[in-house]
Amino acid sequence: MKTTTSTPSVRPTEGWARLFFWEEAAWDWQSARAEGRRPEYSEYIARNLRALRGGVGREAGTVPSMRSVHRIPLQDDGSDRLPDRYVAEHHTLTLFGLHQHAASEPVHQPGVGLGAACLLLRRSEALTQAAVERRLTAAATAQDLNELVQHLQRLVSLLRRAGVSLDYTRLLRELTAWDGPDRNRVLRSWGLQYTDPGTPEPEDGEDAGKERAPYWVTFDPGSPDAGAQLAALRSGTGREPGTVPAMWPFHRTRMASEWRDKGSLTRDLTAEHTALTLFARHQQTHDRLMHITGNSPGTAAGLLARKAAQGSEGKAVTAALERRFGVLLTSGDADELAMHLRSFVPLLNQAGVALDYDLCRTALRTWDDPRRPDAATGFRQRWDRDFHLAASS
């Protein structure tokens, strides 16, 4: 039996801030089921859902029927400009209205960020992996909030058809941050959620729980997509780790769910990002793999020096390389180490000398880690020995 109450059935508000409308809607539905009634929305919720859909494409604050569902108050300060959070709430409400339309259950689900929702959409097989990634990338590369909302309108319709929910309280925070300095954290959280390996499937057998091999290990130079993949990785050079949508499919970093949800910038992610961009620059134009286990930066620099010694200006070039490599060894932190590796990689590319990118990632991750105070010293000593051994053999 459908309820016709004019007020929502919601959690008592004593001691709580008033629920956002999408939270009210979910509580209303759950309350009906808990009371043994048919789980559906009250007339109050249904009426306001229609109002939300009427606000799609409309400017915030211009839709009278939506005013009662806003929870972010407007300040009477004489300003003609609406608060950013109020505008973000308007867009969040309209997206929720589109998503909830004709859905049989509440689509607001705490804890499901946009990246996680797109991962679920991909696993639902409602769209191909490439199609999901195109849509997520389009949203992530939006230049401003209005463009982002246009992409999200199309995306939430796909989520609705696939039965995938979304955390609209989280989305409100993300839309509020989009045109501000916290956009990178939002982007990183989407990318990390989307690349989350998740719980292994039973059919994974012996491979269940194993970490996926890094991209540079599995890269196939003969693949028809190889050039496009390397170009995508090179686009991340100089960019903040985790914020480059074109790179998201190539990340393999494991991370605690809480850190993924927050878009945390960890040492692991930073090291992998740098190693990916270095490998992409190194691998281009080569039809054999430029990642070789055991070729430390010291070994690679030594091989360069040995090749240079065979030329007409051998001694001078060898001495210059040795000085340059010595500067790399004196790197004070991981950022400086990355800078020097970036200057070496074009030389390695030109000479066709490979590098161990697993080792590079480990060095970039631990070089200045306060928990590993002797790490940099250990790398310096080993790489220095590798250099002289490779240069003289």
Side-chain angles (χ1 to χ4, degrees):
M1 178 178 174
K2 188 171 183 178
T3 178
T4 57
T5 178
S6 60
T7 58
S9 173
V10 297
R11 181 176 57 197
T13 57
E14 184 178 353
W16 297 81
R18 189 177 180 190
L19 299 174
F20 288 111
F21 177 72
W22 48 85
E23 295 172 333
E24 270 189 31
W27 186 261
D28 179 84
W29 192 92
Q30 297 290 351
S31 295
R33 185 168 67 173
E35 293 169 6
R37 295 183 283 112
R38 180 180 178 182
E40 59 183 357
Y41 290 124
S42 65
E43 179 57 31
Y44 165 85
I45 297 294
R47 182 175 65 251
N48 282 305
L49 284 172
R50 291 193 293 270
L52 298 187
R53 294 193 295 275
V56 174
R58 306 276 295 279
E59 189 176 339
T62 66
V63 187
S65 59
M66 287 183 62
R67 289 172 187 164
S68 65
V69 295
H70 275 280
R71 301 295 179 258
I72 296 169
L74 289 175
Q75 302 298 325
D76 188 13
D77 56 3
S79 174
D80 291 334
R81 186 177 183 276
L82 293 173
D84 292 342
R85 198 158 182 254
Y86 185 90
V87 174
E89 186 187 26
H90 167 85
H91 292 306
T92 307
L93 285 165
T94 60
L95 290 167
F96 171 69
L98 287 173
H99 196 171
Q100 188 63 67
H101 181 52
S104 59
E105 295 186 0
V107 298
H108 165 63
Q109 183 176 338
V112 182
L114 185 67
C118 287
L119 178 59
L120 293 171
L121 179 61
R122 189 187 81 194
R123 289 175 173 170
S124 74
E125 299 184 352
L127 276 80
T128 65
Q129 178 173 336
V132 174
E133 288 173 3
R134 279 198 306 272
R135 286 162 172 80
L136 180 57
T137 297
T141 53
Q143 296 301 302
D144 56 34
L145 180 59
N146 287 328
E147 183 184 348
L148 171 61
V149 170
Q150 291 174 20
H151 290 297
L152 292 180
Q153 287 170 357
R154 292 187 282 270
L155 194 49
V156 297
S157 296
L158 297 172
L159 296 178
R160 183 189 70 237
R161 289 200 288 270
V164 176
S165 300
L166 187 62
D167 186 337
Y168 276 88
T169 305
R170 181 197 297 269
L171 185 63
L172 169 62
R173 294 196 299 267
E174 293 171 343
L175 296 187
T176 304
W178 190 256
D179 287 333
D182 287 335
R183 182 189 295 194
N184 279 352
R185 180 175 285 273
V186 173
L187 285 172
R188 190 158 42 245
S189 69
W190 291 356
L192 289 169
Q193 291 163 22
Y194 182 72
T195 57
D196 188 348
T199 304
E201 298 292 337
E203 58 268 23
D204 291 343
E206 293 182 359
D207 293 332
K210 289 186 178 179
E211 186 172 354
R212 293 174 65 191
Y215 171 78
W216 48 81
V217 171
T218 60
F219 176 75
D220 178 9
S223 167
D225 298 327
Q229 292 175 5
L230 293 176
L233 294 177
R234 290 196 300 273
S235 72
T237 302
R239 306 274 294 280
E240 189 172 314
T243 67
V244 186
M247 293 184 66
W248 288 345
F250 309 110
H251 280 290
R252 305 290 183 263
T253 297
R254 284 186 175 272
M255 191 182 297
S257 295
E258 181 182 358
W259 291 1
R260 285 182 176 274
D261 288 345
K262 291 180 179 178
S264 300
L265 182 55
T266 64
R267 287 181 176 275
D268 284 341
L269 181 64
T270 300
E272 184 188 34
H273 172 91
T274 302
L276 284 168
T277 58
L278 291 171
F279 173 74
R281 174 66 181 86
H282 193 173
Q283 183 63 53
Q284 65 177 343
T285 74
H286 287 287
D287 57 5
R288 65 183 180 87
L289 192 61
M290 287 292 104
H291 161 70
I292 292 184
T293 301
N295 263 27
S296 72
T299 300
L303 292 173
L304 275 179
R306 191 172 72 187
K307 285 192 173 189
Q310 299 169 0
S312 57
E313 301 179 358
K315 289 186 178 180
V317 174
T318 300
L321 276 171
E322 187 166 1
R323 286 195 301 273
R324 195 168 180 176
F325 182 66
V327 173
L328 181 149
L329 291 181
T330 63
S331 297
D333 55 33
D335 288 340
E336 187 179 351
L337 175 62
M339 179 185 70
H340 290 305
L341 287 172
R342 278 194 288 270
S343 71
F344 258 103
V345 159
L347 302 177
L348 299 176
N349 170 270
Q350 185 177 4
V353 175
L355 189 59
D356 185 336
Y357 279 91
D358 286 336
L359 180 58
C360 285
R361 179 181 61 176
T362 300
L364 289 163
R365 182 174 54 201
T366 59
W367 192 268
D368 56 357
D369 188 342
R371 297 167 298 181
R372 303 278 300 278
D374 299 324
T377 300
F379 283 119
R380 290 183 181 113
Q381 292 173 348
R382 289 193 298 274
W383 293 359
D384 187 53
R385 288 195 300 267
D386 292 345
F387 175 85
H388 292 289
L389 181 62
S392 60
S393 60

